[in-house]
Amino acid sequence: MTQPLKPVIVGAGPAGIRAAQILVAHGLRPIVIDESARWGGQIYRQAPSNFARSSKQLYGFDASKANSVLSAMDSLLSKVDYRPNTLVWNAEGGQLDVLHEGNTSAVDYTDLIVATGATDRILPFKGWTLPGVFSMGGAQVALKFQGCAIGQKVVFAGSGPLLYLVAYQYAKAGANVMAVLDSSHFSQQIKAVPSLLNQAAVFAKGVYYLAWLKAHGIAIHHGATPTEVMGAQSVEKLIWRNSQGAHEIDCDAVATGYGLRSESQLADILGCKFVFSNADNSWIPQKDVAGRSTVQHVYLAGDGAGIQGADAAEWAGELAGLALIEDRQIQQQKNHSTRTEELAKYLQKRIAFGRGLSIAFQDPKNWACQTTDDTVICRCEEITAGDIRQSAQSTGAQDVNRLKAMCRVGMGRCQGRMCGPAAAALLADCTQQSIEKVGRLRGQAPIKPIPFVQSPTLKNMSSDTKVAT
Amino acid sequence: MHQNTALIQQGQLVRLVELNRKKLTIYINGVATEALEGDTLLTVILTHQKFIRQTEFSGSERAGFCLMGACQDCWVLTEDGSRLRSCSTLVQANMKLVTPKANP
């Protein structure tokens, strides 16, 4: 090792911060690149600096965890090269292309920890592009980051732990929660209890939110699926169904999401191998227990490589940092191997909890075949379920990338972040294949839109010399 | 220059907390609009009106969706033509924004 290491961490959420902490503890000075203005990721997202709410008000039961992660990063600021407001939009040959305040530059790395997090997993319903429909995480961001509710009369429709958490946060903040529509059946949730007790504290919080909502008279419906949002120019009512039939709720906003999906575009561009994860019902970048990807010196940590939640992200970040130290034969600290084993054990235990969650929170039954032809699936390109079905039939597309080439689903600005899971489910249904078989939309540079003048032709003209010195 | 005709109605977002912040003025389609320091552009726009832009294809209204920089559905323009993702851009006094309209 004659050349000094240039470790780079992408993402400053719980995984990225814990990874940075380990590298610093071993004498390294990583570059920490984050798209947000302030660290914390989505889960521990910080409000703008002039906001006044306490961390208890912002993060509730998770305030002490949030404080721990946020203050860890605070104390690292002088020991890392922290680059907020910076988007990694491409990676090639030991170099990341980044965009910061409209300028693109290159960042060299020898070792890379990818901790890119997740966004909501969306299953569209008719009318979901109307103003007033937001993702579940988006509804939470509005409140946590901006102090706003997404509307005067809000319905929460979806599944997953966020459903009850965000509904609770809204009601507690004084918003008018019209109903919580959970696609899962209550009996399923009872069945999942033994596995969920594996993370008893997390489970207890979920039970608390549900009980609180019920105690405050908020309608909670299980086995309930949103079928159509109606309104002239914005949300006016939501139609939903359950085994008893169709129902209508007067509302002006809907938050929706069915769990989370990994932000895996960067891992894809880096050439990491992907595997199908039954727990995520999706393809995710492959990693070993410690977070090593299939590409040497590239590590994966947190929800960007399979959804495991914030606690697991902290463990995985720390573990990836320790793996990097091990792989580069840097002097290990005394407790290195015991800590490594301990973290691996925590993560192993979290897998059983994840299985419980996937029993407790299920997608709407037969979502794909119940979705009407006139439902927009790809909101960027305005491609409907009917377009997808017709394209699959007329072209014989068996794979989502082929489907994308044929009908533009997933080809828009978001690169299939919003429509990817839905497009895969529809194609699987049309072609009588599994979700695994239809594959995944491949990530492409730029990972997110960049200004036209910053196109790759300029990239070699502005290589960032600050990094090299 | 632009008329905020259909846009003049109550906002989509409702401010619940954090109301004691410094007030700023920005211009949306030429109309002076009140903002609070720390607001994103999306918050400013959607506390005054129901939508942010119209799509290029169908012309239907959009108000953003994910609020975390992933869906790319909340882009607005500055008067000099650069594009800003409104959910992840904090407001600055006297900004002049144009909400994208469908092609005529």
Side-chain angles (χ1 to χ4, degrees):
Chain A
M1 262 193 354
T2 48
Q3 294 293 316
L5 293 183
K6 292 178 190 164
V8 176
I9 297 167
V10 181
I17 291 173
R18 292 304 183 199
Q21 215 174 5
I22 288 295
L23 300 193
V24 168
H26 291 79
L28 297 171
R29 185 184 171 84
I31 297 174
V32 180
I33 301 175
D34 192 47
E35 226 183 308
S36 297
R38 306 185 80 192
W39 62 92
Q42 294 303 339
I43 184 92
Y44 302 133
R45 184 191 263 256
Q46 301 187 70
S49 54
N50 63 322
F51 280 50
R53 276 170 298 171
S54 67
S55 60
K56 186 77 202 162
Q57 286 168 305
L58 283 175
Y59 310 114
F61 290 127
D62 294 325
S64 65
K65 279 182 195 164
N67 287 342
S68 163
V69 170
L70 296 174
S71 66
M73 184 63 184
D74 193 45
S75 64
L76 288 175
L77 288 178
S78 61
K79 298 166 191 143
V80 301
D81 180 352
Y82 173 52
R83 302 188 187 192
N85 291 315
T86 304
L87 166 75
V88 175
W89 59 269
N90 192 20
E92 212 179 331
Q95 215 173 51
L96 302 174
D97 290 308
V98 303
L99 179 73
H100 174 70
E101 289 177 354
N103 298 308
T104 189
S105 60
V107 173
D108 293 329
Y109 67 88
T110 56
D111 302 73
L112 189 62
I113 298 179
V114 178
T116 41
T119 66
D120 293 276
R121 179 170 170 273
I122 301 300
L123 292 175
F125 43 87
K126 198 175 166 188
W128 74 295
T129 55
L130 264 184
V133 182
F134 293 94
S135 75
M136 198 67 72
Q140 192 183 39
V141 168
L143 182 59
K144 195 155 65 174
F145 183 63
Q146 294 285 284
C148 291
I150 57 168
Q152 309 269 0
K153 295 176 287 183
V154 187
V155 176
F156 292 85
S159 185
L162 263 187
L163 174 66
Y164 294 102
L165 170 62
V166 184
Y168 162 78
Q169 289 172 328
Y170 263 61
K172 200 136 191 269
N176 192 3
V177 177
M178 303 302 285
V180 177
L181 307 179
D182 187 341
S183 61
S184 327
H185 289 269
F186 191 61
S187 56
Q188 289 295 126
Q189 293 180 342
I190 298 295
K191 264 187 231 163
V193 168
S195 319
L196 295 176
L197 282 171
N198 171 313
Q199 309 275 312
V202 182
F203 176 67
K205 277 187 284 183
V207 172
Y208 177 86
Y209 302 139
L210 181 62
W212 191 97
L213 289 164
K214 282 195 167 156
H216 287 76
I218 290 163
I220 295 174
H221 300 284
H222 283 90
T225 308
T227 48
E228 184 173 1
V229 166
M230 298 170 95
Q233 283 192 318
S234 62
V235 175
E236 290 168 25
K237 64 181 173 186
L238 174 69
I239 314 291
W240 63 279
R241 68 176 147 73
N242 61 5
S243 55
Q244 277 107 57
H247 313 268
E248 189 179 308
I249 310 176
D250 171 43
C251 59
D252 69 351
V254 177
T256 189
Y258 294 85
L260 301 176
R261 53 156 283 285
S262 296
E263 273 289 293
S264 57
Q265 290 81 5
L266 179 57
D268 201 356
I269 286 178
L270 287 161
C272 298
K273 191 181 160 194
F274 278 56
V275 289
F276 191 78
S277 155
N278 287 315
D280 295 276
N281 198 18
S282 140
W283 287 84
I284 59 168
Q286 185 182 328
K287 61 182 190 329
D288 75 1
V289 182
R292 292 177 186 91
S293 77
T294 54
V295 177
Q296 202 182 17
H297 304 305
V298 173
Y299 304 82
L300 306 162
D303 279 351
I307 304 304
Q308 293 203 296
D311 296 350
E314 283 190 57
W315 304 327
E318 188 179 345
L319 200 46
L322 291 171
L324 188 159
I325 297 303
E326 220 168 280
D327 296 346
R328 288 297 189 175
Q329 296 167 7
I330 292 166
Q331 177 71 51
Q332 296 175 3
Q333 292 180 336
K334 261 206 318 274
N335 66 347
H336 186 101
S337 46
T338 48
R339 184 61 180 158
T340 299
E341 278 165 35
E342 190 177 30
L343 290 166
K345 219 173 280 170
Y346 292 164
L347 285 169
Q348 196 57 41
K349 203 173 155 198
R350 178 59 180 70
I351 292 172
F353 182 74
R355 270 198 295 271
L357 284 182
S358 54
I359 297 169
F361 293 112
Q362 303 209 333
D363 288 350
K365 202 164 188 292
N366 305 322
W367 175 83
C369 59
Q370 300 267 356
T371 297
T372 54
D373 275 348
D374 55 359
T375 303
V376 170
I377 301 299
C378 169
R379 57 190 291 132
C380 299
E381 300 286 314
E382 306 193 83
I383 306 298
T384 63
D387 295 334
I388 289 173
R389 289 185 178 119
Q390 201 185 5
S391 183
Q393 269 157 22
S394 64
T395 68
Q398 301 277 313
D399 161 276
V400 281
N401 292 291
R402 180 81 184 141
L403 180 72
K404 172 182 165 184
M406 290 297 139
C407 74
R408 302 189 62 83
V409 66
M411 203 181 269
R413 294 189 189 108
C414 89
Q415 282 206 12
R417 285 174 173 85
M418 299 301 120
C419 69
L426 279 169
L427 182 61
D429 182 59
C430 291
T431 57
Q432 301 294 307
Q433 300 179 92
S434 63
I435 301 272
E436 179 178 357
K437 274 277 180 314
V438 300
R440 65 193 171 83
L441 286 169
R442 279 188 290 270
Q444 275 170 347
I447 288 170
K448 286 186 182 178
I450 58 172
F452 197 69
V453 289
Q454 302 299 348
S455 62
T457 45
L458 285 179
K459 103 182 185 191
N460 294 324
M461 295 165 62
S462 57
S463 127
D464 190 344
T465 46
K466 275 182 298 188
V467 182
T469 50
Chain B
M1 56 177 194
H2 292 285
Q3 291 291 308
N4 260 3
T5 45
L7 311 185
I8 300 168
Q9 53 181 311
Q10 69 177 79
Q12 177 65 45
L13 297 189
V14 184
R15 293 188 191 277
L16 293 179
V17 287
E18 305 280 8
L19 304 173
N20 297 318
R21 286 179 279 142
K22 195 177 142 194
K23 286 179 182 157
L24 307 171
T25 299
I26 68 164
Y27 299 87
I28 301 173
N29 301 327
V31 179
T33 306
E34 188 183 281
L36 299 180
E37 197 175 46
D39 280 354
T40 63
L41 302 183
L42 180 142
T43 299
V44 182
I45 297 169
L46 290 185
T47 47
H48 289 89
Q49 60 193 48
K50 290 276 190 184
F51 65 91
I52 292 175
R53 66 178 190 107
Q54 292 175 319
T55 65
E56 306 88 317
F57 306 113
S58 68
S60 63
E61 285 74 23
R62 293 289 172 86
F65 179 68
C66 81
L67 272 58
M68 54 182 84
C71 77
Q72 317 299 328
D73 206 6
C74 66
W75 289 91
V76 293
L77 300 172
T78 59
E79 282 190 358
D80 63 14
S82 38
R83 251 179 7 175
L84 297 172
R85 202 169 55 201
S86 69
C87 75
S88 41
T89 308
L90 291 183
V91 69
Q92 288 166 15
N94 300 312
M95 276 179 139
K96 293 181 173 61
L97 304 177
V98 178
T99 59
K101 288 207 161 51
N103 296 328

